[in-house]
């Protein structure tokens, strides 16, 4: 796993544990609900991850983008499909989405890089 | 066609004509590009419209939502699928998306209403 | 009840019923969670409604603002307190919050107007 | 003056009076500061109004847009210049700015319409 | 003081000095007004800092969040209260607020850590 | 060239090359259009860069701000003019723009620093 991916995952896990340790019920239930949102339903998981990704891109949330890029990679989204999602995000959200697209492109390259486990 | 849908379409068409009549090249080319973005590619039209819709919802643009609802209806998105898109938008974007979801739900009902031509 | 307040409440209730009738589980659970968020806890209800209001103002969601204005009125927020919330929202969010503050001020006047039941 | 312009100005003035009558010092001082921001300085008034307009457009605040359109009209911005401002706003902010551009175009037509005083 | 807190404070102070040295009157007056906004009034300081914090969270401004976390800590906001503010921000603003909540949680831990002066 | 400026330019160029190598036609055409938007027209280049800058500031896109700061520097925007743009952005967009103004001020200092080539 690349350093970029590992750093993201490690910080995310560490701080999620801190937050959950405080036992705020609303936060806990929101996070469960967040997980449920992306499960197979009338739309399949892959489509829902793409929806979550494009929403994160136009709202310009780099960490949300990384999370959905990781999930999209696991679910088999191709690079051509990914760049069409990027295109929708950039057209709807404008050129302010470009810097986030650069960071998304970098992270996508890392996810797709050949690597020893 | 319902009054709500007709009013949206008529105003949109009237003002688009005013804007295009000014011959601003950047505006014209952006609008062409906007059309191209949603054509079949690695992702099909229906998926792209759903991406455009969820992006419009989290950015809380009622007219953009109406436009993509109309296109999604034409492309056969079902009500169950639509409400899963609404769910992603509300989870990612929060409860501030709810009032826009109300107006989206109203417009979706109109699109799906049996009607004499 | 003023026409402005009645119109807001009626449309909200009507469309909430439409949305809930579709049985999307994520939407239903998010709405329950939304209700729980504003219940007494370490912070009291009134403080939480003020937090919900200022968040709605800087995010410039007129219907969300109206909802929290109604709740704040019920919980005894005074006009002096309300305008200090408006001030925080306008300083943090900038002059783009002003038009929403105008509509909030109008709704607040209606809520506080003497009226026959 | 067109009905659209008159309605905007009348509501704005009425509600500004309500807000100012509450004597919230932060609100009052912010509004004075807002006025000062657009006075001649290193940049002239016209340039500053154009800056205020493009900022209002990408933040998608219709009433703010109307206000700066009115000021820009008074300061002699031409229609060609105006549409180049629209173009910057649409490229930076994306297609979600289009519905706001339609309403801006409509208001700009009204401002430029020949009219009996 | 932790490295994270010190780095934030030092950079903030250094760049504030640069900005103020340019003698832009609007910037100076805005900053004075910003200070006044959070002083005791109809609402007390602690409530106002909580309002400023939740507004900063839904607008997803990490540095603004850090600033209000520091002030909230000084004014005695407890961890249970803080997580209820986090909950309101996450419900109103959606899951895109989560990454900012992680960074807020980290900073809050630092503020509350036992430390040699 | 300062380390800060070089780092920004290098990363930007490297990732732009990655993105363009994927041959997504919408992305390519959007980028061409972005370039055209800031060319001389009814408004001159300098004014357009200032418009792009203030739009980037209120949308709080640090990399977009850096890009337009670089262009504004090349086109001869003075420090007094720059701080009036900052003032408009902070008044329209509120105090959440301040942290971005700090980073903009730092980058502007670097651009204006005497330096050996």
């Amino acid at each position: 796993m690349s350093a970029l991916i590992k750093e993201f995952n490690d910080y995310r896990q560490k701080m999620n544990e801190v937050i959950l340790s405080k036992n705020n019920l609303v936060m806990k239930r929101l996070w469960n609900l967040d997980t449920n949102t992306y499960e197979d339903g009338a739309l399949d998981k892959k489509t829902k991850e793409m929806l979550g990704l494009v929403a994160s891109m136009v709202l310009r949330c780099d960490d949300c983008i990384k999370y959905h890029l990781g999930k999209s990679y696991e679910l088999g989204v191709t690079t051509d499909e990914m760049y069409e999602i990027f295109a929708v995000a950039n057209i709807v959200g404008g050129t302010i989405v470009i810097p986030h697209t650069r960071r998304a492109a970098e992270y996508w390259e890392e996810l797709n890089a050949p690597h020893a486990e």
Side-chain angles (χ1 to χ4, degrees), chain A:
Chain A
M1 193 185 290
S2 84
L4 189 61
I5 298 170
K6 183 166 164 35
E7 183 188 33
F8 171 69
N9 286 340
D10 287 355
Y11 180 76
R12 184 173 174 276
Q13 185 179 332
K14 186 180 76 170
M15 293 318 304
N16 281 5
E17 281 166 16
V18 170
I19 292 172
L20 291 173
S21 75
K22 307 301 183 186
N23 289 312
N24 181 288
L25 202 59
V26 172
M27 292 299 292
K28 283 193 171 177
R29 288 179 59 194
L30 179 61
W31 289 15
N32 282 335
L33 195 46
D34 185 29
T35 304
N36 295 347
T37 305
Y38 297 98
E39 283 170 5
D40 282 323
L43 296 171
D44 60 21
K45 273 185 190 179
K46 185 184 153 188
T47 302
K48 287 183 170 182
E49 282 301 328
M50 295 192 295
L51 293 173
L53 176 57
V54 82
S56 300
M57 288 190 79
V58 296
L59 290 173
R60 301 161 49 213
C61 173
D62 286 327
D63 284 4
C64 311
I65 292 170
K66 283 178 182 168
Y67 177 80
H68 288 295
L69 284 172
K71 288 287 181 188
S72 296
Y73 175 74
E74 288 171 19
L75 293 165
V77 175
T78 68
T79 294
D80 280 352
E81 290 173 332
M82 184 50 68
Y83 273 75
E84 294 193 0
I85 300 171
F86 290 177
V88 171
N90 278 267
I91 285 294
V92 173
T95 57
I96 47 159
V97 179
I98 293 177
H100 305 273
T101 305
R102 281 190 202 110
R103 290 188 281 274
E106 181 183 26
Y107 200 79
W108 186 249
E109 293 296 299
E110 300 276 355
L111 286 164
N112 284 278
H115 49 268
E117 294 296 324

